[in-house]
Amino acid sequence: MNTSNLWGDAAFRRISLVLTVASFCSWMLVAALPLVVATRFGAGAELVGSLALRLLPSLLLAPIVAALLRRSGPRLPVLCSLLVTAVAIPGLAFAPNAMTVQMTVLVIGTADAVITPGLLMLSAAVVPAGRNMEANTAFQAIDRFGKIFGPPAAGLAVAAASIEATLAELALAQIATALLLVLQPRDRQVKENAAPSHASGFGREILAMFRENPVLWALLLPAFGYMISLGALQPFLFWLNRDQFHLGPEMWTLLLAAQGAGALIGAIVSHRLAGALTSTQALLRAYLISSLLEGLSTFALIFAPNYL
């Protein structure tokens, strides 16, 4: 890439389009899933279980997925996972019982555990040396765009048509994402024929990395807590919309959109801070303080008013 403008590069624009469609559809599904489960089986344990099963594979299968992506390259696994998701999504509307819905959600979560890191690897392949910070900000903005506009789009689609039609649209969008990825040229992608990497060897690499740099533990623990709070926050927002605001189930998507807007503001602020804070210790302190503020703001939701 010789252009001074990152968006002037065709490969970067193409992968950004793939990321935009994938992120938008992913957040639409995040918003639509509780609507499907609550409508058919209620907003109790089934709802919590479905949200947990979608996140669980990303936590448990990370080493295996990393080894798979390093061995075969990300392109083929991501394409297969997108097609699996496209087949599984319509099954949510026609599953005969709650157990079948939960197993379908688990399949979608497993595919998502491959899609997310795979797309990150494909994105990193088109970023030139020295432009990582700028590209990372762009990728974060794309994800925040999906987080802001994806949930309301799902709510509008369900209200205007039906859950079944919305799920069919999401399945077609997964196929469209796969087609966009197929059209990506291979010459600048990450190595497709990487040397074999066994999961056990990958685990040893991870442990060695943490021993050499203990600061990673300070980053890992808040990240793990973030995953737990993110999983708990979604059913909480759904119940808050129903029990305190007394609004229709589709309106909970606006609460997700508000969370996405906050995430976008945070991404912009973090980009500014990264340019101003040059030392590792200063960046670490800023990260830890922001994690504490996030925890306090989440705790404040307990005292949310009984009115909009």
Side-chain angles (χ1 to χ4, degrees), residues 24-302:
F24 190 83
C25 295
S26 176
W27 282 105
M28 280 190 70
L29 183 58
V30 168
L33 180 59
L35 299 178
V36 174
V37 177
T39 300
R40 299 191 60 193
F41 307 107
E46 291 82 4
L47 174 64
V48 177
S50 63
L51 294 174
L53 286 174
R54 189 169 187 266
L55 292 175
L56 195 61
S58 296
L59 293 174
L60 298 182
L61 301 180
I64 299 174
V65 169
L68 171 67
L69 296 178
R70 294 175 65 189
R71 177 181 299 178
S72 63
R75 188 185 183 92
L76 183 59
V78 170
L79 284 172
C80 293
S81 298
L82 286 169
L83 294 178
V84 167
T85 304
V87 173
I89 286 176
L92 294 171
F94 304 105
N97 50 58
M99 180 61 68
T100 306
V101 169
Q102 304 290 37
M103 292 302 100
T104 305
V105 171
L106 184 62
V107 170
I108 294 173
T110 303
D112 192 56
V114 177
I115 293 171
T116 301
L119 287 177
L120 287 176
M121 290 181 66
L122 291 169
S123 304
V126 301
V127 178
R131 306 295 292 274
N132 297 46
M133 183 65 71
E134 183 181 353
N136 183 59
T137 301
F139 295 148
Q140 284 190 28
I142 289 172
D143 180 67
R144 273 42 175 188
F145 166 84
K147 197 172 184 179
I148 294 172
F149 297 104
L156 287 174
V158 170
S162 64
I163 291 178
E164 292 79 6
T166 302
L167 293 177
E169 293 169 2
L170 284 173
L172 292 175
Q174 298 294 321
I175 297 174
T177 305
L179 291 175
L180 288 173
L181 189 57
V182 168
L183 296 176
Q184 292 290 311
R186 288 174 173 267
D187 56 338
R188 297 183 61 182
Q189 302 294 347
V190 294
K191 295 179 180 179
E192 299 287 339
N193 299 317
S197 175
H198 301 287
S200 60
F202 176 76
R204 287 194 295 268
E205 289 181 26
I206 292 294
L207 290 176
M209 184 172 61
F210 274 89
R211 283 196 300 266
E212 293 173 3
N213 190 359
V215 173
L216 291 175
W217 289 107
L219 301 177
L220 175 65
L221 296 178
F224 186 72
Y226 171 77
M227 289 296 295
I228 295 176
S229 65
L230 180 63
L233 184 62
Q234 291 177 13
F236 175 80
L237 292 178
F238 190 87
W239 295 330
L240 185 71
N241 176 76
R242 181 195 62 184
D243 298 335
Q244 287 202 356
F245 298 153
H246 307 294
L247 299 175
E250 298 85 0
M251 295 300 292
W252 98 282
T253 59
L254 296 180
L255 297 178
L256 275 183
Q259 184 193 13
L264 177 60
I265 295 172
I268 295 173
V269 172
S270 66
H271 178 63
R272 299 284 185 180
L273 286 176
L277 304 177
T278 55
S279 69
T280 302
Q281 290 297 322
L283 286 171
L284 181 59
R285 282 195 295 270
Y287 176 73
L288 294 177
I289 291 173
S290 64
S291 298
L292 289 174
L293 291 176
E294 181 182 13
L296 290 173
S297 61
T298 304
F299 180 74
L301 287 173
I302 299 174

